[in-house]
Amino acid sequence: MLAGGGLAGFSVLSLLTSGYLAGEPGGAEGEPPASQPHLVFILADDQGFRDVGYHGSEIRTPTLDKLAAEGVKLENYYVQPMCTPSRSQFITGKYQIHTGLQHSVIRPTQPNCLPLDNATLPQKLKEVGYSTHMVGKWHLGFYRRECMPTQRGFDSFFGSLLGSGDYYTHYKCDSPRMCGYDLYENDNAAWEHDNGMYSTQMYTQRVQQILASHNPRKPIFLYIAYQAVHSPLQAPGKYYERYRSINNINRRRYAAMLACLDEAIHNVTFALKKYGYYNNSVIIYSSDNGGQPTAGGNNWPLRGSKGSYWEGGIRAVGFVHSPLLKNKGSMCTELIHITDWFPTLITLAEGQIDEDTQLDGYDVWETISEGRRSPRVDILHNIDPIYTKAKNGSWAAGFGIWNTAIQSAIRVNHWKLLTGNPGYSDWVPPQSFSNVGSSRWHNERVSWTTGKTVWLFNITADPYERVDLSSRYPEVVKQLLRRLSQFNKTAVPVRYPAKDPRSNPNFNGGVWGPWFKEDERKKKPNKKGADKQKQNKTKTKPNRKKGHSVDCFVGG
């Protein structure tokens, strides 16, 4: 059961409410064992809700199944519908509206990154003695060197900066004649690693090297953000053998990629045991968003897909595996969100969160480990003021409280409200992947002829979002719209700048990487430009505490 009351008890009040001995528990002789746990966060990319063995998938994931069965399965766990938003919320503990990343993802050509005034999880862990390492996909911006992973708290970084790319060559084309290499070792292109190795295996190999060379008596934070199973759909040939029976080519490729990923998780877990970390470790596994059916992913029986605010876009595969758990082999159905990992891991690490830090996440370790109620009663899935407006949306449809043309979604206790255009809304059953042709889909199509811009669901009773209750419970709709409005008053301006031609890898030795030069930033604008800049600054200065709205806010 979720935290909070049921249908009958719903109220406004409830709304507000170099190697060490294998198997040894330690490292250098005479050093005390680490009291702080080793933290390993594994983030899969675009893994669908159904795409794990214990959710009934035809794709076999024995490692994930075993780790989840021996740990705690998170079955009411939410992320964001796309890459950058989930990653930014994990690493800051803040909603998108509080970092300016409300819209879409950070594009490789944009002068944009996770705002530098936000403390990150690795920075906080370093304060209490952790060694911090990231392997895999960053996707939080890189236009300035200050935006790079090693400048945001990681002692080392090995991986890609962009959202996707070739698994073997590590090249990415954002548009014609806008192509470049995207594999980094710390702050430089890792040309010496350009040996055609499949990224899932290459990243796992790097994790093994880090564990072999670190002293397990000293705490380590490993953030492993695999590229898989994001498109392009590529996998080593041997993983296709067991899925020849899947006729749909995209699903077959996806299955092979997931099989390789499952094996990679096995190898990471084995390394944790081999080098003496496992007994004092916490392993968290999560997908960053829902699956993309056109790229082989499946979220059945949930509605929607990656990029949408239906459950199929934001309800994720997730579990915690650790010898430190009190209730092993259990299932957690309490409400948990990806922002919760920030305070949870800092608390586990015996760290401190500054009093003036305004977090949106909660410490949920006791909820997961001991089965206690979640401190979380709501989730702001997002408010995106610049997403394409719903044609039929209006203030009137939002009872004068909210403009329902705006894309937004919120969860409070059992209730979920969506406004605007929530995104792709079909249900895609597993049978959709059994056909030979890619043009024929057995989706349950949803008609938009009614012109709806407000939906209300009791997610506890109807997790598949089949029964819209907005007309039956207008007072509940109003309450959730007011809550949206309250959240919106705390929002900061959206950061989504135009493409910068200087980002072209052709100007940077054929490599995607920082292009913004500090001396250019310091150039003084002419008087006319300075006056205009000053005016704009006055218009958009945020004030979260007082709730002042600015031009790009909703409902301002």
Side-chain angles (χ1 to χ4, degrees):
M1 179 178 284
L2 301 181
L7 289 172
F10 189 82
S11 65
V12 175
L13 181 61
S14 68
L15 280 164
L16 301 179
T17 42
S18 13
Y20 293 85
L21 294 177
E24 288 294 321
E29 194 173 326
E31 293 181 17
S35 61
Q36 300 154 294
H38 305 298
L39 305 174
V40 182
F41 191 88
I42 303 172
L43 191 64
D45 201 337
D46 287 9
Q47 183 177 2
F49 182 79
R50 186 175 178 271
D51 297 330
V52 65
Y54 64 84
H55 280 174
S57 178
E58 79 280 21
I59 303 173
R60 294 186 290 278
T61 55
T63 301
L64 297 181
D65 295 350
K66 186 175 188 295
L67 292 175
E70 295 173 351
V72 176
K73 298 174 183 175
L74 307 179
E75 294 300 335
N76 198 10
Y77 171 56
Y78 288 85
V79 295
Q80 297 307 111
M82 287 183 288
C83 306
T84 296
S86 284
R87 292 157 206 274
S88 70
Q89 297 198 35
F90 160 67
I91 210 167
T92 65
K94 296 180 181 181
Y95 291 144
Q96 293 162 260
I97 65 165
H98 295 148
T99 59
L101 300 176
Q102 298 96 309
H103 182 67
S104 190
V105 298
I106 294 177
R107 307 292 176 183
T109 56
Q110 287 180 311
N112 195 14
C113 73
L114 181 71
L116 300 177
D117 57 353
N118 284 271
T120 67
L121 178 57
Q123 287 171 338
K124 299 302 293 183
L125 294 175
K126 279 177 68 67
E127 290 177 3
V128 288
Y130 273 74
S131 176
T132 59
H133 303 273
M134 180 181 174
V135 178
K137 170 179 165 178
W138 176 237
H139 207 185
L140 289 174
F142 58 88
Y143 80 106
R144 293 171 57 181
R145 287 204 171 273
E146 295 91 333
C147 301
M148 297 286 281
T150 53
Q151 306 301 312
R152 305 309 305 269
F154 288 105
D155 293 326
S156 75
F157 169 65
F158 181 69
S160 63
L161 299 175
L162 278 63
S164 63
D166 191 282
Y167 280 72
Y168 294 96
T169 67
H170 318 298
Y171 271 84
K172 166 70 175 180
C173 289
D174 188 64
S175 62
R177 296 182 297 280
M178 186 75 83
C179 303
Y181 186 67
D182 182 31
L183 182 64
Y184 268 74
E185 173 94 55
N186 297 322
D187 296 335
N188 299 296
W191 294 110
E192 66 274 17
H193 294 281
D194 188 15
N195 53 13
M197 190 173 187
Y198 186 67
S199 75
T200 301
Q201 297 168 328
M202 180 175 62
Y203 291 156
T204 303
Q205 187 178 88
R206 174 52 61 95
V207 171
Q208 292 168 325
Q209 292 169 354
I210 292 171
L211 292 173
S213 61
H214 182 75
N215 183 350
R217 289 185 183 273
K218 297 181 179 179
I220 188 171
F221 169 53
L222 268 175
Y223 173 31
I224 313 169
Y226 282 106
Q227 180 181 354
V229 287
H230 194 292
S231 61
L233 302 179
Q234 299 170 294
K238 71 175 185 178
Y239 296 99
Y240 289 91
E241 294 299 320
R242 68 190 74 168
Y243 296 109
R244 287 180 175 178
S245 61
I246 298 178
N247 292 322
N248 182 287
I249 186 61
N250 284 348
R251 182 65 173 173
R252 192 189 321 149
R253 289 170 176 164
Y254 178 96
M257 296 168 74
L258 187 54
C260 182
L261 177 63
D262 187 77
E263 182 180 283
I265 307 303
H266 167 81
N267 292 335
V268 168
T269 309
F270 180 79
L272 288 168
K273 294 178 178 178
K274 177 181 179 181
Y275 297 115
Y277 298 88
Y278 176 79
N279 290 337
N280 189 33
S281 68
V282 175
I283 304 169
I284 300 167
Y285 182 88
S286 170
S287 179
D288 67 339
N289 47 248
Q292 180 64 271
T294 55
N298 190 225
N299 304 305
W300 180 262
L302 303 181
R303 183 178 186 176
S305 69
K306 171 185 177 177
S308 80
Y309 288 95
W310 303 106
E311 293 291 284
I314 57 178
R315 197 163 185 161
V317 173
F319 63 80
V320 178
H321 178 95
S322 172
L324 307 179
L325 290 166
K326 292 185 178 180
N327 289 352
K328 300 180 185 68
S330 63
M331 179 186 297
C332 176
T333 57
E334 292 290 308
L335 197 59
I336 295 176
H337 184 250
I338 195 167
T339 53
D340 297 334
W341 299 124
F342 184 95
T344 300
L345 296 184
I346 291 175
T347 302
L348 277 173
E350 304 172 12
Q352 297 293 324
I353 297 174
D354 299 334
E355 290 183 4
D356 60 346
T357 301
Q358 300 178 31
L359 293 183
D360 297 305
Y362 296 85
D363 178 2
V364 292
W365 180 251
E366 291 183 348
T367 300
I368 296 169
S369 178
E370 303 175 27
R372 297 190 184 186
R373 300 298 296 269
S374 174
R376 176 179 289 283
V377 296
D378 60 14
I379 298 174
L380 176 67
H381 293 306
N382 197 25
I383 299 170
D384 187 342
I386 64 175
Y387 189 81
T388 303
K389 304 296 186 294
K391 293 181 180 179
N392 298 297
S394 66
W395 284 95
F399 301 98
I401 302 169
W402 188 258
N403 182 356
T404 65
I406 301 299
Q407 184 193 63
S408 68
I410 189 171
R411 168 79 177 269
V412 181
N413 293 321
H414 302 291
W415 296 104
K416 178 181 178 183
L417 181 83
L418 304 97
T419 72
N421 178 6
Y424 179 85
S425 63
D426 294 350
W427 293 269
V428 183
Q431 293 87 339
S432 298
F433 299 101
S434 64
N435 56 291
V436 177
S438 59
S439 61
R440 202 169 150 233
W441 291 80
H442 303 283
N443 298 3
E444 297 183 53
R445 295 293 180 185
V446 179
S447 172
W448 294 101
T449 55
T450 55
K452 283 186 62 62
T453 58
V454 178
W455 296 263
L456 178 72
F457 300 96
N458 180 328
I459 292 299
T460 306
D462 177 26
Y464 315 135
E465 297 171 300
R466 293 183 176 274
V467 182
D468 174 25
L469 300 173
S470 59
S471 60
R472 192 182 307 179
Y473 296 101
E475 292 305 312
V476 175
V477 171
K478 292 177 184 177
Q479 290 175 31
L480 268 70
L481 290 175
R482 292 189 188 102
R483 189 73 179 108
L484 272 175
S485 181
Q486 290 170 354
F487 269 120
N488 188 59
K489 290 175 182 178
T490 70
V492 300
V494 178
R495 300 166 59 98
Y496 199 74
K499 174 179 177 179
D500 189 330
R502 293 174 297 176
S503 63
N504 195 323
N506 292 325
F507 303 146
N508 192 32
V511 179
W512 288 105
W515 71 85
F516 187 87
K517 300 296 187 293
E518 195 68 20
D519 56 344
E520 293 179 16
R521 187 173 67 90
K522 292 179 179 178
K523 283 182 180 179
K524 293 182 179 180
N526 58 43
K527 189 176 186 304
K528 183 177 179 181
D531 291 341
K532 184 177 180 181
Q533 188 179 51
K534 186 175 181 181
Q535 291 172 4
N536 288 341
K537 185 175 181 181
T538 303
K539 289 181 181 179
T540 61
K541 184 178 181 180
N543 189 324
R544 287 177 56 189
K545 289 186 177 180
K546 294 184 180 179
H548 293 174
S549 61
V550 297
D551 291 348
C552 61
F553 289 178
V554 185

